[in-house]
mmCIF file of all heavy atoms in Angstrom:
data_model
loop_
_atom_site.group_PDB
_atom_site.id
_atom_site.type_symbol
_atom_site.label_atom_id
_atom_site.label_comp_id
_atom_site.label_asym_id
_atom_site.label_seq_id
_atom_site.Cartn_x
_atom_site.Cartn_y
_atom_site.Cartn_z
ATOM 1 N N LYS K 2 -25.300 9.842 17.577
ATOM 2 C CA LYS K 2 -26.334 9.146 18.350
ATOM 3 C C LYS K 2 -26.835 9.996 19.506
ATOM 4 O O LYS K 2 -27.973 9.846 19.941
ATOM 5 C CB LYS K 2 -25.783 7.826 18.911
ATOM 6 C CG LYS K 2 -25.600 6.756 17.891
ATOM 7 C CD LYS K 2 -26.931 6.209 17.451
ATOM 8 C CE LYS K 2 -26.764 4.929 16.672
ATOM 9 N NZ LYS K 2 -28.057 4.379 16.265
ATOM 10 N N SER K 3 -25.973 10.836 20.016
ATOM 11 C CA SER K 3 -26.345 11.638 21.174
ATOM 12 C C SER K 3 -25.531 12.912 21.170
ATOM 13 O O SER K 3 -24.324 12.886 20.912
ATOM 14 C CB SER K 3 -26.069 10.839 22.453
ATOM 15 O OG SER K 3 -26.458 11.561 23.583
ATOM 16 N N ILE K 4 -26.188 14.010 21.425
ATOM 17 C CA ILE K 4 -25.490 15.275 21.659
ATOM 18 C C ILE K 4 -26.304 16.023 22.712
ATOM 19 O O ILE K 4 -27.530 16.095 22.615
ATOM 20 C CB ILE K 4 -25.287 16.104 20.381
ATOM 21 C CG1 ILE K 4 -24.494 17.382 20.701
ATOM 22 C CG2 ILE K 4 -26.584 16.396 19.670
ATOM 23 C CD1 ILE K 4 -23.925 18.079 19.488
ATOM 24 N N ALA K 5 -25.619 16.495 23.735
ATOM 25 C CA ALA K 5 -26.308 17.179 24.823
ATOM 26 C C ALA K 5 -25.449 18.306 25.362
ATOM 27 O O ALA K 5 -24.230 18.172 25.476
ATOM 28 C CB ALA K 5 -26.639 16.194 25.938
ATOM 29 N N VAL K 6 -26.117 19.388 25.702
ATOM 30 C CA VAL K 6 -25.494 20.549 26.324
ATOM 31 C C VAL K 6 -26.226 20.776 27.652
ATOM 32 O O VAL K 6 -27.460 20.709 27.706
ATOM 33 C CB VAL K 6 -25.631 21.798 25.426
ATOM 34 C CG1 VAL K 6 -25.040 23.024 26.106
ATOM 35 C CG2 VAL K 6 -24.981 21.562 24.065
ATOM 36 N N TYR K 7 -25.472 21.000 28.709
ATOM 37 C CA TYR K 7 -26.119 21.294 29.991
ATOM 38 C C TYR K 7 -27.100 22.453 29.805
ATOM 39 O O TYR K 7 -26.786 23.437 29.108
ATOM 40 C CB TYR K 7 -25.088 21.660 31.059
ATOM 41 C CG TYR K 7 -24.414 20.465 31.690
ATOM 42 C CD1 TYR K 7 -23.046 20.288 31.600
ATOM 43 C CD2 TYR K 7 -25.160 19.516 32.389
ATOM 44 C CE1 TYR K 7 -22.428 19.193 32.187
ATOM 45 C CE2 TYR K 7 -24.542 18.423 32.981
ATOM 46 C CZ TYR K 7 -23.193 18.269 32.874
ATOM 47 O OH TYR K 7 -22.576 17.174 33.452
ATOM 48 N N PRO K 8 -28.283 22.371 30.409
ATOM 49 C CA PRO K 8 -29.313 23.403 30.210
ATOM 50 C C PRO K 8 -28.836 24.833 30.455
ATOM 51 O O PRO K 8 -29.204 25.746 29.713
ATOM 52 C CB PRO K 8 -30.405 23.001 31.213
ATOM 53 C CG PRO K 8 -30.270 21.518 31.312
ATOM 54 C CD PRO K 8 -28.777 21.259 31.222
ATOM 55 N N ALA K 9 -28.000 25.045 31.444
ATOM 56 C CA ALA K 9 -27.521 26.408 31.740
ATOM 57 C C ALA K 9 -26.670 26.982 30.607
ATOM 58 O O ALA K 9 -26.473 28.204 30.545
ATOM 59 C CB ALA K 9 -26.723 26.407 33.040
ATOM 60 N N PHE K 10 -26.179 26.120 29.716
ATOM 61 C CA PHE K 10 -25.291 26.581 28.646
ATOM 62 C C PHE K 10 -25.900 26.410 27.258
ATOM 63 O O PHE K 10 -25.215 26.624 26.248
ATOM 64 C CB PHE K 10 -23.956 25.840 28.741
ATOM 65 C CG PHE K 10 -23.316 25.985 30.096
ATOM 66 C CD1 PHE K 10 -23.253 24.898 30.961
ATOM 67 C CD2 PHE K 10 -22.833 27.203 30.528
ATOM 68 C CE1 PHE K 10 -22.694 25.034 32.226
ATOM 69 C CE2 PHE K 10 -22.273 27.348 31.786
ATOM 70 C CZ PHE K 10 -22.204 26.258 32.634
ATOM 71 N N GLN K 11 -27.173 26.024 27.199
ATOM 72 C CA GLN K 11 -27.836 25.879 25.903
ATOM 73 C C GLN K 11 -28.064 27.246 25.270
ATOM 74 O O GLN K 11 -28.114 28.265 25.937
ATOM 75 C CB GLN K 11 -29.164 25.121 26.063
ATOM 76 C CG GLN K 11 -28.938 23.674 26.432
ATOM 77 C CD GLN K 11 -30.223 22.911 26.711
ATOM 78 O OE1 GLN K 11 -31.320 23.452 26.657
ATOM 79 N NE2 GLN K 11 -30.082 21.631 27.022
ATOM 80 N N ARG K 12 -28.154 27.230 23.957
ATOM 81 C CA ARG K 12 -28.379 28.443 23.149
ATOM 82 C C ARG K 12 -27.220 29.433 23.247
ATOM 83 O O ARG K 12 -27.400 30.629 23.095
ATOM 84 C CB ARG K 12 -29.707 29.110 23.506
ATOM 85 C CG ARG K 12 -30.896 28.174 23.305
ATOM 86 C CD ARG K 12 -32.203 28.922 23.252
ATOM 87 N NE ARG K 12 -33.324 28.038 23.143
ATOM 88 C CZ ARG K 12 -33.723 27.409 22.041
ATOM 89 N NH1 ARG K 12 -33.037 27.548 20.941
ATOM 90 N NH2 ARG K 12 -34.782 26.633 22.050
ATOM 91 N N GLN K 13 -26.007 28.883 23.505
ATOM 92 C CA GLN K 13 -24.807 29.711 23.541
ATOM 93 C C GLN K 13 -23.802 29.274 22.473
ATOM 94 O O GLN K 13 -22.655 29.702 22.491
ATOM 95 C CB GLN K 13 -24.176 29.651 24.933
ATOM 96 C CG GLN K 13 -25.058 30.261 26.004
ATOM 97 C CD GLN K 13 -24.452 30.163 27.390
ATOM 98 O OE1 GLN K 13 -23.233 30.159 27.556
ATOM 99 N NE2 GLN K 13 -25.299 30.078 28.392
ATOM 100 N N GLY K 14 -24.217 28.383 21.588
ATOM 101 C CA GLY K 14 -23.365 27.969 20.480
ATOM 102 C C GLY K 14 -22.543 26.715 20.726
ATOM 103 O O GLY K 14 -21.838 26.263 19.825
ATOM 104 N N TYR K 15 -22.621 26.124 21.915
ATOM 105 C CA TYR K 15 -21.801 24.945 22.208
ATOM 106 C C TYR K 15 -22.212 23.734 21.375
ATOM 107 O O TYR K 15 -21.362 22.991 20.893
ATOM 108 C CB TYR K 15 -21.845 24.606 23.696
ATOM 109 C CG TYR K 15 -21.143 25.617 24.553
ATOM 110 C CD1 TYR K 15 -21.844 26.374 25.487
ATOM 111 C CD2 TYR K 15 -19.775 25.835 24.433
ATOM 112 C CE1 TYR K 15 -21.201 27.311 26.283
ATOM 113 C CE2 TYR K 15 -19.117 26.766 25.216
ATOM 114 C CZ TYR K 15 -19.847 27.508 26.141
ATOM 115 O OH TYR K 15 -19.199 28.432 26.920
ATOM 116 N N GLY K 16 -23.489 23.515 21.203
ATOM 117 C CA GLY K 16 -23.948 22.391 20.388
ATOM 118 C C GLY K 16 -23.485 22.507 18.950
ATOM 119 O O GLY K 16 -22.983 21.539 18.366
ATOM 120 N N LYS K 17 -23.619 23.692 18.382
ATOM 121 C CA LYS K 17 -23.180 23.898 17.000
ATOM 122 C C LYS K 17 -21.668 23.742 16.883
ATOM 123 O O LYS K 17 -21.177 23.131 15.936
ATOM 124 C CB LYS K 17 -23.607 25.262 16.474
ATOM 125 C CG LYS K 17 -23.153 25.450 15.015
ATOM 126 C CD LYS K 17 -23.870 26.537 14.324
ATOM 127 C CE LYS K 17 -23.561 26.680 12.861
ATOM 128 N NZ LYS K 17 -22.356 26.115 12.321
ATOM 129 N N ARG K 18 -20.922 24.254 17.841
ATOM 130 C CA ARG K 18 -19.464 24.108 17.800
ATOM 131 C C ARG K 18 -19.062 22.641 17.855
ATOM 132 O O ARG K 18 -18.138 22.212 17.166
ATOM 133 C CB ARG K 18 -18.815 24.872 18.951
ATOM 134 C CG ARG K 18 -18.792 26.359 18.702
ATOM 135 C CD ARG K 18 -18.030 27.079 19.777
ATOM 136 N NE ARG K 18 -18.788 28.273 20.123
ATOM 137 C CZ ARG K 18 -18.649 28.962 21.225
ATOM 138 N NH1 ARG K 18 -17.774 28.592 22.135
ATOM 139 N NH2 ARG K 18 -19.366 30.027 21.438
ATOM 140 N N LEU K 19 -19.755 21.873 18.672
ATOM 141 C CA LEU K 19 -19.445 20.453 18.782
ATOM 142 C C LEU K 19 -19.783 19.726 17.476
ATOM 143 O O LEU K 19 -18.986 18.916 16.989
ATOM 144 C CB LEU K 19 -20.188 19.837 19.964
ATOM 145 C CG LEU K 19 -19.838 18.411 20.360
ATOM 146 C CD1 LEU K 19 -18.336 18.206 20.504
ATOM 147 C CD2 LEU K 19 -20.551 18.045 21.657
ATOM 148 N N ILE K 20 -20.897 20.036 16.875
ATOM 149 C CA ILE K 20 -21.256 19.416 15.595
ATOM 150 C C ILE K 20 -20.267 19.823 14.502
ATOM 151 O O ILE K 20 -19.842 18.988 13.706
ATOM 152 C CB ILE K 20 -22.704 19.742 15.203
ATOM 153 C CG1 ILE K 20 -23.643 18.913 16.082
ATOM 154 C CG2 ILE K 20 -22.957 19.454 13.724
ATOM 155 C CD1 ILE K 20 -25.098 19.078 15.805
ATOM 156 N N ASP K 21 -19.882 21.085 14.468
ATOM 157 C CA ASP K 21 -18.890 21.529 13.473
ATOM 158 C C ASP K 21 -17.586 20.746 13.656
ATOM 159 O O ASP K 21 -16.959 20.328 12.677
ATOM 160 C CB ASP K 21 -18.622 23.025 13.595
ATOM 161 C CG ASP K 21 -19.785 23.884 13.121
ATOM 162 O OD1 ASP K 21 -20.706 23.353 12.452
ATOM 163 O OD2 ASP K 21 -19.782 25.090 13.437
ATOM 164 N N TYR K 22 -17.173 20.551 14.897
ATOM 165 C CA TYR K 22 -15.962 19.786 15.183
ATOM 166 C C TYR K 22 -16.106 18.349 14.687
ATOM 167 O O TYR K 22 -15.201 17.807 14.058
ATOM 168 C CB TYR K 22 -15.668 19.814 16.688
ATOM 169 C CG TYR K 22 -14.496 18.947 17.073
ATOM 170 C CD1 TYR K 22 -13.203 19.450 17.047
ATOM 171 C CD2 TYR K 22 -14.683 17.615 17.432
ATOM 172 C CE1 TYR K 22 -12.123 18.649 17.384
ATOM 173 C CE2 TYR K 22 -13.603 16.810 17.766
ATOM 174 C CZ TYR K 22 -12.329 17.329 17.735
ATOM 175 O OH TYR K 22 -11.258 16.528 18.052
ATOM 176 N N LEU K 23 -17.235 17.719 15.008
ATOM 177 C CA LEU K 23 -17.458 16.331 14.594
ATOM 178 C C LEU K 23 -17.433 16.187 13.081
ATOM 179 O O LEU K 23 -16.841 15.242 12.551
ATOM 180 C CB LEU K 23 -18.793 15.812 15.143
ATOM 181 C CG LEU K 23 -18.897 15.710 16.661
ATOM 182 C CD1 LEU K 23 -20.317 15.353 17.071
ATOM 183 C CD2 LEU K 23 -17.896 14.728 17.217
ATOM 184 N N CYS K 24 -18.050 17.107 12.379
ATOM 185 C CA CYS K 24 -18.062 17.048 10.917
ATOM 186 C C CYS K 24 -16.648 17.184 10.361
ATOM 187 O O CYS K 24 -16.278 16.473 9.421
ATOM 188 C CB CYS K 24 -18.999 18.107 10.344
ATOM 189 S SG CYS K 24 -20.753 17.725 10.657
ATOM 190 N N ALA K 25 -15.843 18.053 10.948
ATOM 191 C CA ALA K 25 -14.451 18.191 10.505
ATOM 192 C C ALA K 25 -13.647 16.940 10.869
ATOM 193 O O ALA K 25 -12.836 16.463 10.067
ATOM 194 C CB ALA K 25 -13.821 19.435 11.139
ATOM 195 N N TYR K 26 -13.872 16.399 12.049
ATOM 196 C CA TYR K 26 -13.148 15.217 12.533
ATOM 197 C C TYR K 26 -13.400 14.003 11.637
ATOM 198 O O TYR K 26 -12.491 13.232 11.346
ATOM 199 C CB TYR K 26 -13.583 14.927 13.971
ATOM 200 C CG TYR K 26 -12.880 13.770 14.636
ATOM 201 C CD1 TYR K 26 -11.685 13.971 15.327
ATOM 202 C CD2 TYR K 26 -13.405 12.489 14.595
ATOM 203 C CE1 TYR K 26 -11.045 12.913 15.955
ATOM 204 C CE2 TYR K 26 -12.768 11.422 15.217
ATOM 205 C CZ TYR K 26 -11.584 11.644 15.894
ATOM 206 O OH TYR K 26 -10.948 10.590 16.513
ATOM 207 N N TYR K 27 -14.645 13.827 11.192
ATOM 208 C CA TYR K 27 -15.018 12.649 10.399
ATOM 209 C C TYR K 27 -14.966 12.874 8.889
ATOM 210 O O TYR K 27 -15.132 11.932 8.125
ATOM 211 C CB TYR K 27 -16.418 12.161 10.796
ATOM 212 C CG TYR K 27 -16.432 11.472 12.134
ATOM 213 C CD1 TYR K 27 -16.799 12.158 13.284
ATOM 214 C CD2 TYR K 27 -16.052 10.142 12.253
ATOM 215 C CE1 TYR K 27 -16.791 11.531 14.522
ATOM 216 C CE2 TYR K 27 -16.043 9.509 13.486
ATOM 217 C CZ TYR K 27 -16.416 10.211 14.619
ATOM 218 O OH TYR K 27 -16.390 9.591 15.839
ATOM 219 N N ARG K 28 -14.746 14.084 8.458
ATOM 220 C CA ARG K 28 -14.833 14.436 7.043
ATOM 221 C C ARG K 28 -14.058 13.498 6.111
ATOM 222 O O ARG K 28 -14.575 13.079 5.079
ATOM 223 C CB ARG K 28 -14.357 15.874 6.824
ATOM 224 C CG ARG K 28 -14.374 16.306 5.355
ATOM 225 C CD ARG K 28 -14.051 17.759 5.166
ATOM 226 N NE ARG K 28 -14.964 18.650 5.851
ATOM 227 C CZ ARG K 28 -16.166 18.990 5.403
ATOM 228 N NH1 ARG K 28 -16.619 18.475 4.295
ATOM 229 N NH2 ARG K 28 -16.922 19.829 6.082
ATOM 230 N N ASP K 29 -12.836 13.131 6.454
ATOM 231 C CA ASP K 29 -12.001 12.315 5.568
ATOM 232 C C ASP K 29 -12.415 10.858 5.501
ATOM 233 O O ASP K 29 -12.045 10.149 4.576
ATOM 234 C CB ASP K 29 -10.527 12.404 5.990
ATOM 235 C CG ASP K 29 -9.948 13.776 5.736
ATOM 236 O OD1 ASP K 29 -10.505 14.525 4.906
ATOM 237 O OD2 ASP K 29 -8.928 14.103 6.372
ATOM 238 N N ARG K 30 -13.175 10.389 6.477
ATOM 239 C CA ARG K 30 -13.585 8.979 6.471
ATOM 240 C C ARG K 30 -15.101 8.801 6.357
ATOM 241 O O ARG K 30 -15.609 7.691 6.485
ATOM 242 C CB ARG K 30 -13.062 8.267 7.711
ATOM 243 C CG ARG K 30 -13.494 8.877 9.007
ATOM 244 C CD ARG K 30 -12.839 8.163 10.167
ATOM 245 N NE ARG K 30 -12.536 9.139 11.203
ATOM 246 C CZ ARG K 30 -12.359 8.829 12.456
ATOM 247 N NH1 ARG K 30 -12.435 7.584 12.843
ATOM 248 N NH2 ARG K 30 -12.093 9.753 13.328
ATOM 249 N N CYS K 31 -15.791 9.874 6.114
ATOM 250 C CA CYS K 31 -17.250 9.860 6.124
ATOM 251 C C CYS K 31 -17.805 10.440 4.827
ATOM 252 O O CYS K 31 -17.355 11.483 4.386
ATOM 253 C CB CYS K 31 -17.728 10.688 7.320
ATOM 254 S SG CYS K 31 -19.494 10.818 7.523
ATOM 255 N N SER K 32 -18.770 9.749 4.238
ATOM 256 C CA SER K 32 -19.457 10.328 3.082
ATOM 257 C C SER K 32 -20.808 10.901 3.493
ATOM 258 O O SER K 32 -21.307 11.830 2.866
ATOM 259 C CB SER K 32 -19.628 9.291 1.967
ATOM 260 O OG SER K 32 -20.365 8.187 2.429
ATOM 261 N N VAL K 33 -21.388 10.357 4.557
ATOM 262 C CA VAL K 33 -22.645 10.900 5.066
ATOM 263 C C VAL K 33 -22.683 10.754 6.593
ATOM 264 O O VAL K 33 -22.277 9.739 7.142
ATOM 265 C CB VAL K 33 -23.885 10.238 4.412
ATOM 266 C CG1 VAL K 33 -23.964 8.758 4.715
ATOM 267 C CG2 VAL K 33 -25.170 10.922 4.830
ATOM 268 N N MET K 34 -23.139 11.817 7.240
ATOM 269 C CA MET K 34 -23.337 11.838 8.688
ATOM 270 C C MET K 34 -24.834 11.978 8.928
ATOM 271 O O MET K 34 -25.465 12.890 8.385
ATOM 272 C CB MET K 34 -22.586 13.013 9.321
ATOM 273 C CG MET K 34 -22.779 13.156 10.823
ATOM 274 S SD MET K 34 -21.879 11.950 11.808
ATOM 275 C CE MET K 34 -20.209 12.578 11.662
ATOM 276 N N PHE K 35 -25.390 11.059 9.711
ATOM 277 C CA PHE K 35 -26.800 11.107 10.072
ATOM 278 C C PHE K 35 -26.960 11.571 11.510
ATOM 279 O O PHE K 35 -26.052 11.428 12.324
ATOM 280 C CB PHE K 35 -27.438 9.713 9.955
ATOM 281 C CG PHE K 35 -27.718 9.277 8.555
ATOM 282 C CD1 PHE K 35 -26.864 8.408 7.907
ATOM 283 C CD2 PHE K 35 -28.838 9.732 7.874
ATOM 284 C CE1 PHE K 35 -27.112 7.988 6.611
ATOM 285 C CE2 PHE K 35 -29.104 9.318 6.575
ATOM 286 C CZ PHE K 35 -28.241 8.447 5.942
ATOM 287 N N VAL K 36 -28.125 12.084 11.807
ATOM 288 C CA VAL K 36 -28.534 12.358 13.174
ATOM 289 C C VAL K 36 -30.037 12.122 13.233
ATOM 290 O O VAL K 36 -30.767 12.502 12.323
ATOM 291 C CB VAL K 36 -28.147 13.784 13.637
ATOM 292 C CG1 VAL K 36 -28.845 14.862 12.830
ATOM 293 C CG2 VAL K 36 -28.420 13.965 15.125
ATOM 294 N N GLY K 37 -30.474 11.433 14.288
ATOM 295 C CA GLY K 37 -31.891 11.187 14.482
ATOM 296 C C GLY K 37 -32.402 12.025 15.632
ATOM 297 O O GLY K 37 -31.714 12.215 16.631
ATOM 298 N N THR K 38 -33.631 12.521 15.493
ATOM 299 C CA THR K 38 -34.199 13.380 16.518
ATOM 300 C C THR K 38 -35.714 13.267 16.519
ATOM 301 O O THR K 38 -36.305 12.718 15.593
ATOM 302 C CB THR K 38 -33.762 14.849 16.301
ATOM 303 O OG1 THR K 38 -34.141 15.627 17.437
ATOM 304 C CG2 THR K 38 -34.360 15.437 15.047
ATOM 305 N N GLY K 39 -36.304 13.806 17.558
ATOM 306 C CA GLY K 39 -37.756 13.860 17.607
ATOM 307 C C GLY K 39 -38.275 14.897 16.624
ATOM 308 O O GLY K 39 -37.546 15.797 16.194
ATOM 309 N N ASP K 40 -39.524 14.761 16.276
ATOM 310 C CA ASP K 40 -40.161 15.633 15.294
ATOM 311 C C ASP K 40 -40.648 16.916 15.964
ATOM 312 O O ASP K 40 -41.842 17.129 16.161
ATOM 313 C CB ASP K 40 -41.322 14.883 14.631
ATOM 314 C CG ASP K 40 -41.877 15.624 13.425
ATOM 315 O OD1 ASP K 40 -41.318 16.673 13.057
ATOM 316 O OD2 ASP K 40 -42.880 15.146 12.858
ATOM 317 N N THR K 41 -39.675 17.768 16.353
ATOM 318 C CA THR K 41 -40.009 19.063 16.945
ATOM 319 C C THR K 41 -39.334 20.163 16.145
ATOM 320 O O THR K 41 -38.240 19.978 15.619
ATOM 321 C CB THR K 41 -39.554 19.164 18.417
ATOM 322 O OG1 THR K 41 -38.137 19.046 18.471
ATOM 323 C CG2 THR K 41 -40.210 18.100 19.281
ATOM 324 N N ALA K 42 -40.002 21.291 16.073
ATOM 325 C CA ALA K 42 -39.479 22.406 15.284
ATOM 326 C C ALA K 42 -38.105 22.853 15.780
ATOM 327 O O ALA K 42 -37.215 23.136 14.977
ATOM 328 C CB ALA K 42 -40.462 23.574 15.314
ATOM 329 N N SER K 43 -37.901 22.897 17.096
ATOM 330 C CA SER K 43 -36.626 23.388 17.625
ATOM 331 C C SER K 43 -35.476 22.456 17.261
ATOM 332 O O SER K 43 -34.399 22.919 16.859
ATOM 333 C CB SER K 43 -36.705 23.571 19.143
ATOM 334 O OG SER K 43 -36.990 22.340 19.780
ATOM 335 N N ALA K 44 -35.676 21.142 17.372
ATOM 336 C CA ALA K 44 -34.611 20.191 17.043
ATOM 337 C C ALA K 44 -34.310 20.212 15.551
ATOM 338 O O ALA K 44 -33.139 20.272 15.142
ATOM 339 C CB ALA K 44 -34.993 18.785 17.485
ATOM 340 N N LEU K 45 -35.338 20.184 14.727
ATOM 341 C CA LEU K 45 -35.126 20.191 13.276
ATOM 342 C C LEU K 45 -34.452 21.477 12.833
ATOM 343 O O LEU K 45 -33.532 21.450 12.015
ATOM 344 C CB LEU K 45 -36.455 19.979 12.546
ATOM 345 C CG LEU K 45 -37.122 18.630 12.797
ATOM 346 C CD1 LEU K 45 -38.506 18.585 12.151
ATOM 347 C CD2 LEU K 45 -36.258 17.485 12.307
ATOM 348 N N SER K 46 -34.862 22.591 13.391
ATOM 349 C CA SER K 46 -34.256 23.880 13.050
ATOM 350 C C SER K 46 -32.779 23.914 13.437
ATOM 351 O O SER K 46 -31.933 24.400 12.675
ATOM 352 C CB SER K 46 -35.015 25.003 13.759
ATOM 353 O OG SER K 46 -34.391 26.231 13.545
ATOM 354 N N PHE K 47 -32.451 23.387 14.620
ATOM 355 C CA PHE K 47 -31.062 23.359 15.068
ATOM 356 C C PHE K 47 -30.188 22.576 14.092
ATOM 357 O O PHE K 47 -29.149 23.061 13.643
ATOM 358 C CB PHE K 47 -30.954 22.753 16.476
ATOM 359 C CG PHE K 47 -29.540 22.460 16.876
ATOM 360 C CD1 PHE K 47 -28.664 23.493 17.206
ATOM 361 C CD2 PHE K 47 -29.064 21.162 16.899
ATOM 362 C CE1 PHE K 47 -27.351 23.230 17.558
ATOM 363 C CE2 PHE K 47 -27.756 20.887 17.256
ATOM 364 C CZ PHE K 47 -26.888 21.926 17.587
ATOM 365 N N TYR K 48 -30.606 21.357 13.738
ATOM 366 C CA TYR K 48 -29.790 20.533 12.851
ATOM 367 C C TYR K 48 -29.716 21.109 11.446
ATOM 368 O O TYR K 48 -28.676 21.040 10.796
ATOM 369 C CB TYR K 48 -30.282 19.084 12.846
ATOM 370 C CG TYR K 48 -29.976 18.397 14.151
ATOM 371 C CD1 TYR K 48 -31.000 17.965 14.989
ATOM 372 C CD2 TYR K 48 -28.669 18.203 14.575
ATOM 373 C CE1 TYR K 48 -30.720 17.350 16.199
ATOM 374 C CE2 TYR K 48 -28.380 17.598 15.781
ATOM 375 C CZ TYR K 48 -29.409 17.183 16.590
ATOM 376 O OH TYR K 48 -29.122 16.587 17.790
ATOM 377 N N GLU K 49 -30.790 21.707 10.975
ATOM 378 C CA GLU K 49 -30.754 22.361 9.659
ATOM 379 C C GLU K 49 -29.786 23.541 9.690
ATOM 380 O O GLU K 49 -29.046 23.768 8.736
ATOM 381 C CB GLU K 49 -32.155 22.759 9.232
ATOM 382 C CG GLU K 49 -32.993 21.541 8.845
ATOM 383 C CD GLU K 49 -34.467 21.831 8.601
ATOM 384 O OE1 GLU K 49 -34.953 22.922 8.992
ATOM 385 O OE2 GLU K 49 -35.144 20.952 8.031
#
């Protein structure tokens, strides 16, 4: 529902590391993980 990195630390891999952790944490009890975002190239590219 929400993922945020302090601006001074963005684009340093923290967001991706947190998402990788979440996917591993939920893997055994989850068949699909969704994330909703605004229709911007930067957000879509990040999640892809």
Side-chain angles (χ1 to χ4, degrees):
K2 287 287 193 179
S3 182
I4 183 165
V6 177
Y7 279 119
F10 305 109
Q11 291 175 359
R12 302 197 183 283
Q13 295 178 30
Y15 291 116
K17 181 162 186 340
R18 284 186 223 161
L19 189 50
I20 286 182
D21 289 346
Y22 175 88
L23 295 173
C24 290
Y26 183 88
Y27 286 97
R28 178 174 301 280
D29 291 339
R30 57 184 144 158
C31 180
S32 59
V33 63
M34 177 75 74
F35 284 100
V36 63
T38 190
D40 190 4
T41 62
S43 61
L45 296 174
S46 175
F47 169 73
Y48 289 115
E49 288 171 345

